[in-house]
Amino acid sequence: MTSELHRAFSRFLSPAEILALSPELLVDQRRRFTATPDIILQPHTVEAVQNVMRHCFAHRIPVTPQGGNTGLCGAAVAQSGVLLNLAKLDKIRETNPADNSITVEAGAVLQRVQEAAGQAGRFFPLSLASEGSCQIGGNIACNAGGLNVLRYGAMRDLVLGLEVVLPEGTLVSHLQPLHKNTTGYDLRHLFIGSEGTLGVITAATLKLFARAQTTATAWVTLPDIESAVRLLTLTQGSFAERLCSFELVSRFALELSSAFSRLKKPDDGEWHILLELSDSLDSPDLTDRLAEFLYQNGFENSIIAQSEQERRDLWTLRENISASQRHLGTSIKHDIAVPIAAVATFVRECSAALAQKFDGIRIVCFGHLGDGSLHYNTFLPDILSNEAYSYEDAVNDVVYEHVLRHNGTIAAEHGIGIIKNQRLPAVRTPAEIALMRAIKAHLDPHNIMNPGKLLP
Amino acid sequence: MTSELHRAFSRFLSPAEILALSPELLVDQRRRFTATPDIILQPHTVEAVQNVMRHCFAHRIPVTPQGGNTGLCGAAVAQSGVLLNLAKLDKIRETNPADNSITVEAGAVLQRVQEAAGQAGRFFPLSLASEGSCQIGGNIACNAGGLNVLRYGAMRDLVLGLEVVLPEGTLVSHLQPLHKNTTGYDLRHLFIGSEGTLGVITAATLKLFARAQTTATAWVTLPDIESAVRLLTLTQGSFAERLCSFELVSRFALELSSAFSRLKKPDDGEWHILLELSDSLDSPDLTDRLAEFLYQNGFENSIIAQSEQERRDLWTLRENISASQRHLGTSIKHDIAVPIAAVATFVRECSAALAQKFDGIRIVCFGHLGDGSLHYNTFLPDILSNEAYSYEDAVNDVVYEHVLRHNGTIAAEHGIGIIKNQRLPAVRTPAEIALMRAIKAHLDPHNIMNPGKLLP
């Protein structure tokens, strides 16, 4: 099969566009899944993507698009056929400051897009821990979230136009910078968050914003989550959209990250908030106003970053939480969100229910409290890594029951992939899943686009 | 037919839910189209909407949802069957300041939603000339734009969750305040902008923002559109997202509105910009900074509103443009957008082409320059009202040719309805229109939802 595929694709791809089956592209970010494609293709042009799709459509060969391979739900793990790596489609095609837009190809690494926006005197707000390697196409395909959603929205809110190769090879291009355009059903939003199951995103026009001229950053230590929610409400009341990040860190998460990062803990305490204000205009008193605000409202266990280095250290403590857990073994991760008013109750009740059912379970709770979005990772004691996943369903049953009780979501910003698709019927109605299937069947009648992902 | 329908619906609707065929609901806002439904229903509950849809689905009766009847493209003009007026589904169900959200029913008038947000200490930014009578359901169904898109986005960007009755009567409800939620294909965005062709929107959860504490408003007179675009770029450079409105008014548009409004013109000149800055925090020097900015950059023909009354008068001049044109006769209207960098060229070239082809044509050009979105209304001389529309295609051919040459859109914020659906193939590819038809056919297999609208 593989050599036959190799011969077939060699007819219209250059040798450099056909890759060896290397582990770094096959093993997923969490080292949980290993892809088993028959071939890895890395097209250098959009036309090559079209040719690949035409061939695969004609021959019913499955295709799994892959960006930076930083996904956490297995959406880019190819089970057979073609693993379609987009890394070489990485041009910054155009920056357009007048329309506050930038047009980039799918393989452009997020950090490069941020930098290109900066060079044009603008700001691209999507920011997440893997920004040095994740790619824009993957960010769009899974509707990535991250640290700045509170102020600027998720990836979905940042896409003005898309260029997509449909399963049968047709190119549909709407790379347009218009902020107002209503001509028929909005198909762009179908592809955003579709995890490679409807077509291959090859480029996008993205929204840009003004750069922050002033930033103020604080670390606040609190006795309970109720206080953190109170701080959120007060901060929004006093600073409105100047608040761009409001991150929650539990005592255990801070201990892990502090040891891993070799940075001392800002303070002891059960819960911590890292919050950041920014202003696109020069605002020399912003830090003083934040300090005064925290003092006046009784949040005395607070540290205000006094230099860029101090600010970066605080952010390192937040961003290293994921990496610092690895030595604990295999975690059963959750990417959930609940309404702000329900966060405290959710955390208290869910933790108690887990502790009761799973003796000695340890929970690393952190995340984007400003969006009600939590990473709620659980570690079972004395369980070997390869055994942990056998408890996944039982742990998930408890967590998701509490999430749904509070009208939350089981997938806030990481997507569905292969680890949650069987849970989709718990959050979407039969009518909705039927419509999703109809859309999929129309665009991809032979089910070649990333089969087995997203849909149950 | 009508009395038979009356008997049938009387079985599950109260007498108050079946209305007489009154002209105010049948004649559209522009007095161009007269609806010819067999019956007008005005359900008082979501269950009643479901019952209506179940009956209509079973009996293949066409249904046209209607909001405030302020649409400009004929999307709510029923040609037969049921005109489904949503005005009595008008509850503000819940305001949720912690999540910055509000849940309202489809028939709630936009201004009431703005007021309810204000009472909760928040701001709902959608704002347009008909806000005193248009309804949220219609705003969502046509993805309304208006005056604050530059800062806050269009209606699409303001919807967190929807409640929809599908054509066969099923209720799909996702009235959720979560700002991050990615669980399968995004169907919400299919209904936003679908103009009643996929189902009946009965309620929505909308995003709220912080209220402005400071506003600064200026009227700037300019010799040409190039200067207006230069002013836009400079204003965004200096005030970033504080700039929330940037409205263009031509000399002719100002003359009409000034006479109609009985307000004197702020200045003489070819082109005018009404711009407004706002800050969600107290910012006492904002007006001074705006004045200084305009002076420093050489925009000396400027008036800064010194009181709320002066500010309101300037806005009245802008908002009355539409109403003030009516005595000129019937206009062939355009609701277009082009990239900012192309606006000046577009206006100059398109006006010249129209003048050459249609002797004596008059153009009322105004709109939301900050979004590249223009209302470009044309009046043919010595043409009786009922004759004007016979020139519509010929005028549109010229205008749309210029719009498309600059990668613009023929429908920025008013929708497609029945006046532009035959133009859809000019802006959407066959593959896209085929997908739209497949979605429509799946949800509405008997084509009962607003037949003849939106799709060509």
Side-chain angles (χ1 to χ4, degrees):
Chain A
M1 170 72 166
T2 306
S3 67
E4 194 186 308
L5 280 178
H6 197 287
R7 254 194 319 279
F9 287 115
S10 294
R11 286 202 296 274
F12 51 85
L13 295 176
S14 70
E17 292 175 301
I18 304 177
L19 304 191
L21 296 174
S22 71
E24 74 190 274
L25 298 181
L26 296 178
V27 178
D28 85 319
Q29 158 110 348
R30 296 188 62 199
R31 311 197 162 276
R32 175 170 181 180
F33 302 110
T34 302
T36 52
D38 299 302
I39 195 165
I40 304 181
L41 304 179
Q42 193 175 62
H44 290 193
T45 63
V46 173
E47 293 70 27
V49 175
Q50 289 184 266
N51 287 332
V52 168
M53 289 314 308
R54 281 189 200 110
H55 183 85
C56 291
F57 189 83
H59 296 83
R60 318 285 195 255
I61 301 168
V63 178
T64 299
Q66 183 185 57
N69 196 22
T70 62
L72 298 171
C73 298
V77 177
Q79 282 150 351
S80 67
V82 172
L83 179 60
L84 188 67
N85 184 287
L86 277 303
K88 291 290 183 189
L89 279 186
D90 66 347
K91 281 200 260 317
I92 307 291
R93 288 196 194 159
E94 188 188 3
T95 52
N96 182 346
D99 284 294
N100 285 299
S101 73
I102 188 168
T103 298
V104 305
E105 292 185 343
V109 168
L110 172 53
Q111 197 174 318
R112 269 190 62 222
V113 177
Q114 295 166 343
E115 288 164 3
Q119 282 157 19
R122 294 291 186 275
F123 174 61
F124 182 64
L126 192 76
S127 176
L128 34 96
S130 61
E131 64 195 23
S133 54
C134 66
Q135 297 170 10
I136 286 295
N139 296 148
I140 295 171
C142 77
N143 185 24
L147 302 168
N148 287 323
V149 175
L150 190 55
R151 176 164 183 173
Y152 299 97
M155 190 71 209
R156 179 179 300 291
D157 304 298
L158 305 174
V159 176
L160 290 168
L162 282 184
E163 180 187 270
V164 177
V165 175
L166 298 181
E168 31 74 18
T170 303
L171 183 71
V172 176
S173 179
H174 287 289
L175 295 173
Q176 54 99 45
L178 305 175
H179 291 244
K180 279 182 183 170
N181 189 357
T182 302
T183 45
Y185 305 154
D186 195 306
L187 305 179
R188 167 184 48 152
H189 283 290
L190 283 180
F191 289 95
I192 302 170
S194 66
E195 303 184 5
T197 61
L198 296 179
V200 184
I201 295 166
T202 52
T205 301
L206 307 172
K207 284 186 201 169
L208 298 181
F209 295 82
R211 278 192 294 188
Q213 295 207 29
T214 314
T215 300
T217 309
W219 186 283
V220 187
T221 300
L222 299 160
D224 47 44
I225 298 192
E226 283 82 354
S227 306
V229 171
R230 191 173 142 258
L231 173 60
L232 173 63
T233 306
L234 288 169
T235 311
Q236 289 189 310
S238 290
F239 294 100
E241 80 290 341
R242 256 70 144 195
L243 178 62
C244 45
S245 298
F246 194 92
E247 300 288 306
L248 179 75
V249 179
S250 71
R251 173 196 282 271
F252 186 36
L254 178 60
E255 278 168 6
L256 292 169
S257 180
S258 163
F260 178 90
S261 311
R262 297 168 194 234
L263 286 168
K264 79 179 175 52
K265 291 184 285 181
D267 201 345
D268 249 339
E270 285 309 305
W271 294 98
H272 306 266
I273 291 294
L274 174 58
L275 72 86
E276 190 158 282
L277 311 178
S278 79
D279 194 336
S280 52
L281 303 197
D282 192 30
S283 177
D285 64 345
L286 193 64
T287 294
D288 289 348
R289 282 162 75 178
L290 176 57
E292 176 69 13
F293 159 81
L294 291 169
Y295 177 76
Q296 290 288 351
N297 287 286
F299 296 99
E300 289 177 9
N301 292 335
S302 304
I303 291 169
I304 307 267
Q306 299 294 342
S307 67
E308 181 56 24
Q309 185 59 49
E310 281 183 30
R311 173 178 173 263
R312 230 176 293 149
D313 286 348
L314 294 176
W315 275 107
T316 299
L317 284 170
R318 164 64 186 86
E319 285 172 358
N320 277 347
I321 295 172
S322 285
S324 70
Q325 307 165 46
R326 290 199 187 120
H327 73 277
L328 292 181
T330 299
S331 75
I332 297 167
K333 285 185 194 288
H334 303 95
D335 161 43
I336 57 182
V338 294
I340 301 294
V343 171
T345 311
F346 164 78
V347 170
R348 205 165 341 98
E349 292 179 357
C350 187
S351 307
L354 284 171
Q356 195 178 18
K357 190 150 182 186
F358 302 97
D359 208 30
I361 194 169
R362 304 172 83 180
I363 298 168
V364 179
C365 178
F366 64 106
H368 320 289
L369 181 61
D371 313 305
S373 155
L374 299 179
H375 301 305
Y376 192 82
N377 299 341
T378 58
F379 295 85
L380 297 172
D382 310 321
I383 298 288
L384 292 174
S385 283
N386 53 1
E387 279 177 19
Y389 293 124
S390 63
Y391 294 84
E392 189 170 30
D393 269 343
V395 172
N396 287 348
D397 284 344
V398 175
V399 174
Y400 295 155
E401 184 201 322
H402 284 82
V403 166
L404 298 179
R405 187 184 296 169
H406 294 290
N407 298 313
T409 178
I410 65 168
E413 58 177 8
H414 294 167
I416 298 292
I418 47 177
I419 69 168
K420 293 186 191 168
N421 53 350
Q422 298 312 317
R423 299 267 176 182
L424 211 58
V427 291
R428 307 300 293 263
T429 65
E432 291 175 286
I433 291 176
L435 175 56
M436 292 184 206
R437 287 194 195 285
I439 292 166
K440 167 86 170 163
H442 173 83
L443 283 173
D444 183 21
H446 310 311
N447 192 27
I448 61 168
M449 284 310 306
N450 211 4
K453 312 295 167 56
L454 191 137
L455 286 166
Chain B
M1 171 71 167
T2 306
S3 67
E4 193 186 308
L5 280 178
H6 198 286
R7 253 195 319 278
F9 287 115
S10 294
R11 286 202 295 274
F12 51 84
L13 294 176
S14 69
E17 292 176 300
I18 304 177
L19 304 190
L21 297 174
S22 72
E24 74 190 276
L25 297 181
L26 296 178
V27 179
D28 85 317
Q29 158 110 347
R30 297 189 60 200
R31 312 196 161 278
R32 175 171 181 181
F33 302 110
T34 301
T36 51
D38 298 303
I39 194 164
I40 305 181
L41 304 179
Q42 193 176 61
H44 290 193
T45 63
V46 173
E47 293 70 27
V49 175
Q50 289 184 268
N51 286 332
V52 168
M53 289 314 307
R54 282 190 199 110
H55 183 85
C56 291
F57 190 84
H59 295 85
R60 318 286 196 253
I61 301 168
V63 178
T64 299
Q66 184 185 56
N69 196 21
T70 62
L72 297 170
C73 297
V77 176
Q79 282 150 353
S80 66
V82 172
L83 179 61
L84 188 68
N85 183 287
L86 277 304
K88 291 289 182 189
L89 279 185
D90 67 346
K91 283 199 260 319
I92 308 290
R93 289 198 194 158
E94 188 188 3
T95 53
N96 181 346
D99 285 294
N100 285 299
S101 73
I102 187 169
T103 299
V104 304
E105 293 186 341
V109 167
L110 173 53
Q111 198 173 317
R112 269 190 63 221
V113 176
Q114 295 167 343
E115 288 163 4
Q119 281 156 20
R122 293 291 186 276
F123 174 61
F124 182 64
L126 192 76
S127 175
L128 33 96
S130 61
E131 62 195 23
S133 54
C134 66
Q135 297 169 9
I136 287 295
N139 297 148
I140 295 171
C142 77
N143 185 23
L147 302 167
N148 288 323
V149 175
L150 189 55
R151 177 164 183 174
Y152 298 97
M155 190 72 208
R156 179 179 301 290
D157 304 300
L158 305 175
V159 176
L160 290 169
L162 283 184
E163 180 188 87
V164 176
V165 175
L166 298 182
E168 29 75 20
T170 303
L171 183 72
V172 176
S173 179
H174 286 290
L175 295 174
Q176 55 99 44
L178 304 174
H179 291 244
K180 280 184 182 168
N181 189 356
T182 302
T183 44
Y185 305 155
D186 195 307
L187 306 179
R188 166 185 50 153
H189 283 290
L190 282 180
F191 289 95
I192 302 170
S194 67
E195 303 184 5
T197 61
L198 296 180
V200 184
I201 295 166
T202 51
T205 301
L206 307 172
K207 283 185 201 170
L208 298 181
F209 295 83
R211 278 191 294 187
Q213 295 207 29
T214 314
T215 301
T217 310
W219 185 282
V220 187
T221 301
L222 299 159
D224 47 45
I225 299 194
E226 283 82 354
S227 306
V229 171
R230 190 173 144 261
L231 174 59
L232 174 63
T233 306
L234 289 169
T235 311
Q236 289 189 310
S238 290
F239 294 99
E241 80 290 340
R242 255 69 144 198
L243 178 62
C244 44
S245 299
F246 194 91
E247 299 290 307
L248 179 75
V249 179
S250 71
R251 173 196 283 272
F252 186 35
L254 178 59
E255 279 168 5
L256 292 169
S257 180
S258 163
F260 178 89
S261 312
R262 296 168 195 233
L263 286 168
K264 80 179 178 42
K265 292 184 286 182
D267 201 346
D268 249 340
E270 285 309 305
W271 294 97
H272 306 265
I273 292 293
L274 173 59
L275 73 86
E276 190 158 283
L277 311 179
S278 79
D279 194 336
S280 50
L281 303 198
D282 191 33
S283 177
D285 63 345
L286 192 64
T287 294
D288 288 349
R289 282 162 76 177
L290 176 58
E292 176 69 14
F293 160 82
L294 290 168
Y295 177 78
Q296 290 288 351
N297 287 287
F299 296 98
E300 289 176 10
N301 292 334
S302 304
I303 290 170
I304 308 266
Q306 300 294 342
S307 67
E308 181 56 25
Q309 185 58 50
E310 282 183 31
R311 172 179 173 263
R312 231 176 292 149
D313 286 349
L314 294 175
W315 275 107
T316 299
L317 284 169
R318 164 64 186 86
E319 285 173 358
N320 277 347
I321 294 173
S322 285
S324 71
Q325 308 165 45
R326 292 203 184 117
H327 73 276
L328 291 180
T330 300
S331 75
I332 298 167
K333 285 185 194 291
H334 303 94
D335 160 44
I336 57 182
V338 295
I340 300 293
V343 171
T345 311
F346 164 79
V347 171
R348 204 165 342 95
E349 291 178 358
C350 187
S351 307
L354 285 171
Q356 196 179 16
K357 190 150 183 188
F358 302 97
D359 209 29
I361 195 168
R362 303 171 83 181
I363 299 167
V364 178
C365 178
F366 64 105
H368 320 289
L369 181 60
D371 313 306
S373 154
L374 299 178
H375 300 306
Y376 192 82
N377 299 340
T378 57
F379 295 85
L380 296 172
D382 310 322
I383 298 287
L384 291 174
S385 281
N386 53 2
E387 279 179 17
Y389 292 123
S390 63
Y391 293 85
E392 189 170 30
D393 268 343
V395 172
N396 286 349
D397 283 345
V398 175
V399 174
Y400 294 155
E401 184 201 323
H402 284 81
V403 166
L404 297 179
R405 188 185 294 170
H406 293 291
N407 299 312
T409 179
I410 65 168
E413 58 177 7
H414 294 168
I416 299 292
I418 48 178
I419 69 169
K420 292 184 190 167
N421 54 349
Q422 298 312 317
R423 299 266 176 183
L424 212 58
V427 291
R428 305 301 294 264
T429 65
E432 290 175 286
I433 291 176
L435 175 56
M436 292 185 206
R437 286 195 195 285
I439 292 166
K440 167 86 169 161
H442 173 81
L443 283 174
D444 182 21
H446 310 312
N447 192 28
I448 60 168
M449 285 308 308
N450 212 3
K453 313 294 167 55
L454 191 137
L455 287 166

